[in-house]
Structure formats: structure tokens, C-alpha cells
Amino acid sequence: MSLSVSIKKRFKGFYLDVDFETGGEYVGILGASGSGKSMTLKCIAGVETPDEGRIVLNGRVLFDSEKKINVRPQSRKIGYMFQNYALFPNMTVEENIGAGLKLQKDEKKEKISQLVKTFHLDGMEHKYPSQLSGGQQQRVALARIFAYEPDVLLLDEPFSALDSHLKEKLQTEIFEFLRLYHGDVLMVTHSRDEVYRFCKNLVIIDRGKSILLGDTKEIFTHPEVLPAARLTGCKNISRCRVLSSHSIYADDWGITFETEKKVPEDTNYVGIRTRMFRLADSEEKDAVAFKINKVVEEIFEYTVIAEAENQKEQNNSESDKSEIWFKIKKEEWDNRNNKEKLYIKIPEDAILMLRG
């Protein structure tokens, strides 16, 4: 199974330019709202037509602007689950699952019956979408997709319509069902938790352009580019200057980082995740002193907002100072005597060297 996408499409004030390939695994498309994630799925499904480019699914060309190929949506063998599930409100669960299935009556009935059992919809066969919960509607939508035996599944923000307190349970449930499917799964989301939990590979889209493709966990560990660091949840980012092949200076924090590994020459931002550090004593070598500005209590930890004591004077005004956020476990914070100052050790592998 493979999907190759290389397309461009112009809109007023927006330009979509995405290029990636998949190979029989779960792939996440992560990006901010309005970045072009859903539009990418619509182009793959044939709902929208790119201005130029090529889309190939399992060796079959679905779209090629140069050769004037544009296979109609109904013939692409693509399963597309919309954000709102797009169930027919005037059809029952059975009717929704079987909508459009071109089989003999007995075959169709048997297939629907199997899917009802597979997706745990027993007893709901004659209910309408309005009588179902969000999770049940989602299972009906998936059952309807599975009925067509598509070559690829496109999931557009599949959990956005679910209540937050049920979301994690239902996510696990739905992905258990997806294990029954053996083709490519492409999931659009703006949730880094969802993409990290379920997708082996990841495409990062920023303002319409695919900027990074690779192993999901590797991208979270080494995001390489500024938009990817932000999208994967890095809250602490500073402009920086490369001082030498093993030294960088974070302009916004007034901190110099010495590294054993070579600093890429094109590094112009540095990032630190909120939990990638260690509390230290004032006497420890390379410990950085921070003045605490604010402490926010959360359920299991504190968010401590602080600024480096040696921060440049020009950055010390209220409007310009650049703070760093730390997440500290409650027991670690409560056992400290000094609530006005922090000493932090930042390990080298916690320093994200980024291209802007």
C-alpha cells in the first residue's frame, strides 16, 4: 500500500503546496487551524481539484495535471470520514451503513449485519443519527467506510466532535477498530497528543506548505524547524546566535549554551520543552539561576514562569523580558525552601536547535 501526493493549489490569500509519500502505515498531518490540512484530504479524495501536481494511490494515478487525469471521487476507492461524520439524518444505522452499496439484496444484508457486529452497534440498527451519541455516530461512519473496502482511509479531525471527558476512551476504542483495516490511514489533526499516540509517521504543514515528514517520535524529539517545534508543544523558544561550532547564545533569555555535538550553522532559534530540565543546587556547575515571576498551580504540578537572572539589561523591561516556563512536580516544588529563585540544569539533549 502506498500513497504519493505532490500538489499545488492557489486560493485568494492562500497557497497550498504539499509533497509527501506514505507506505502502509498510519500517517498524521499536523498543523494549525487554516494551514491546509483538510484541503489536502479533499484534494486526495477528489472533492477539490489541485491546480497542478500528481496523486498516486497503490500505483494507480488519481490525478495528474500534465496528463489531464482526474479520477472522479466515486472511483478513487478512498474512505473519507468528515469531522461531522456526514451521516444521512433521515436514514437508520443500517441504511447509513449500506448507503450506495451495489450488492445483491442478501449479500448486502449480510455485509451490513457483519459490520453492525464488528462495530458494536447491535440493537441500534433502526435508530437514526439524532438518537445516537457522538461515539456511536463515529462508529456508524466508520462502518459505512469499511463497507466499501477502500484502499486508503482519510480521517479529518476524527475526534473533534466528541465530548472531552469521553475522548480518550473513544479514541482507544476507534483505533482498536482501525486495526482491522490493513491499508494506509491518513489522519488530519491539530492535536499533538492524538498524532503522537496513534501515528507512526508525521507530516507537518505550516501555512499551506508541507515542511517536514518523518517518524513521529523523532520529529517530537528533534523538530528541526521553528513551526514544527511550536506545533509539537515547545513553549520556550528564543532567537539565538551561533557563537562557535559548539556554542549558541539565546538572545531572548541571555543564556549561553555549550554543546558537545556540533551546532548546525543555520540554527537561528533555540527551544527548551517545559519538562526537559533538572532542579539543581546553586553550587552546581553550569546551573542557571532564574528569578521566579509567577507560579500557577495545576492538578499534579506547578507551572513556574521565570526569567534568567543574567538576562541582558535591554530585555529586562516589562514589555521586552522573555520568560521561560517550567513544569515542576508538586512534591519537588513543595520541598523547596527558596520560592523566589530557581537553579536549573538544562541537559544538552533538551536543547532544540531550530531553523526559523
Side-chain angles (χ1 to χ4, degrees):
M1 293 292 183
S2 64
L3 174 67
S4 174
V5 179
S6 181
I7 54 173
K8 297 178 181 179
K9 186 173 176 64
R10 292 186 183 277
F11 300 88
K12 187 177 180 180
F14 183 77
Y15 183 53
L16 184 70
D17 179 5
V18 293
D19 191 342
F20 63 89
E21 292 185 8
T22 72
E25 69 278 337
Y26 288 8
V27 177
I29 299 181
L30 182 65
S33 296
S35 61
K37 306 184 303 297
S38 294
M39 182 55 63
T40 299
L41 291 197
K42 288 176 182 176
C43 288
I44 295 169
V47 179
E48 293 280 349
T49 303
D51 296 331
E52 59 181 285
R54 204 162 185 262
I55 301 170
V56 182
L57 177 61
N58 298 333
R60 186 166 68 106
V61 178
L62 303 182
F63 175 80
D64 190 317
S65 56
E66 288 188 3
K67 296 180 179 178
K68 308 297 182 188
I69 297 172
N70 189 15
V71 176
R72 61 189 189 128
Q74 300 90 328
S75 302
R76 293 195 177 198
K77 288 204 74 179
I78 287 174
Y80 192 161
M81 190 163 82
F82 295 87
Q83 292 180 29
N84 61 359
Y85 312 137
L87 298 177
F88 298 108
N90 60 335
M91 289 187 182
T92 65
V93 167
E94 280 185 332
E95 290 168 340
N96 263 288
I97 293 173
L101 268 184
K102 292 175 172 57
L103 296 173
Q104 294 293 328
K105 187 176 179 179
D106 289 346
E107 286 182 285
K108 184 174 180 178
K109 186 176 179 180
E110 176 61 25
K111 186 153 196 172
I112 292 170
S113 177
Q114 287 175 352
L115 289 164
V116 164
K117 289 186 176 70
T118 299
F119 286 89
H120 302 168
L121 294 165
D122 310 74
M124 304 176 201
E125 297 92 327
H126 305 296
K127 289 187 175 183
Y128 291 91
S130 61
Q131 299 171 302
L132 304 175
S133 68
Q136 290 165 346
Q137 289 181 30
Q138 190 179 60
R139 298 208 303 272
V140 175
L142 269 180
R144 183 173 65 186
I145 290 171
F146 272 52
Y148 288 95
E149 300 178 0
D151 289 337
V152 63
L153 286 182
L154 308 181
L155 308 179
D156 191 355
E157 300 275 8
F159 306 110
S160 62
L162 301 177
D163 294 335
S164 57
H165 69 287
L166 292 174
K167 189 173 287 189
E168 192 167 330
K169 177 179 180 295
L170 292 170
Q171 284 174 346
T172 303
E173 198 174 271
I174 290 300
F175 275 88
E176 283 301 314
F177 291 130
L178 288 176
R179 290 181 190 279
L180 303 172
Y181 178 73
H182 300 293
D184 288 79
V185 176
L186 201 57
M187 183 176 80
V188 153
T189 181
H190 62 266
S191 168
R192 57 181 176 271
D193 293 332
E194 288 175 10
V195 83
Y196 190 87
R197 191 177 297 149
F198 300 118
C199 298
K200 182 181 184 298
N201 287 327
L202 177 60
V203 180
I204 298 282
I205 292 186
D206 181 50
R207 290 175 289 184
K209 185 173 178 62
S210 54
I211 58 170
L212 202 58
L213 168 65
D215 179 85
T216 299
K217 291 180 173 57
E218 178 62 23
I219 288 176
F220 271 74
T221 305
H222 302 291
E224 295 183 7
V225 292
L226 179 62
R230 286 178 172 152
L231 286 167
T232 56
C234 184
K235 289 185 170 60
N236 300 317
I237 295 174
S238 167
R239 296 165 298 168
C240 76
R241 283 174 280 155
V242 178
L243 302 179
S244 72
S245 58
H246 296 279
S247 178
I248 53 177
Y249 179 77
D251 294 273
D252 299 329
W253 302 330
I255 302 173
T256 299
F257 296 100
E258 305 290 343
T259 66
E260 288 190 16
K261 61 186 175 185
K262 189 174 180 180
V263 178
E265 291 181 4
D266 56 357
T267 300
N268 50 13
Y269 284 89
V270 61
I272 303 169
R273 297 201 187 275
T274 56
R275 293 182 177 85
M276 296 294 286
F277 65 92
R278 181 174 66 80
L279 292 177
D281 297 323
S282 58
E283 296 83 9
E284 283 192 59
K285 184 185 176 183
D286 299 329
V288 181
F290 287 87
K291 181 171 76 72
I292 297 169
N293 293 335
K294 190 175 182 181
V295 179
V296 179
E297 183 176 7
E298 298 177 29
I299 298 173
F300 301 111
E301 60 193 359
Y302 292 99
T303 296
V304 179
I305 304 168
E307 59 183 295
E309 281 200 334
N310 63 340
Q311 195 164 180
K312 276 190 171 183
E313 191 165 346
Q314 72 227 36
N315 287 342
N316 283 344
S317 69
E318 283 299 313
S319 59
D320 293 331
K321 70 182 180 185
S322 186
E323 298 170 319
I324 297 184
W325 292 37
F326 300 104
K327 298 284 188 181
I328 301 177
K329 292 178 181 179
K330 284 195 168 180
E331 58 269 25
E332 288 187 86
W333 178 260
D334 292 339
N335 290 335
R336 298 179 70 257
N337 295 320
N338 190 343
K339 298 295 193 291
E340 296 181 357
K341 191 178 288 190
L342 275 178
Y343 290 93
I344 297 293
K345 291 272 285 188
I346 301 169
E348 182 175 331
D349 59 6
I351 302 168
L352 305 179
M353 299 176 194
L354 308 167
R355 304 187 304 274

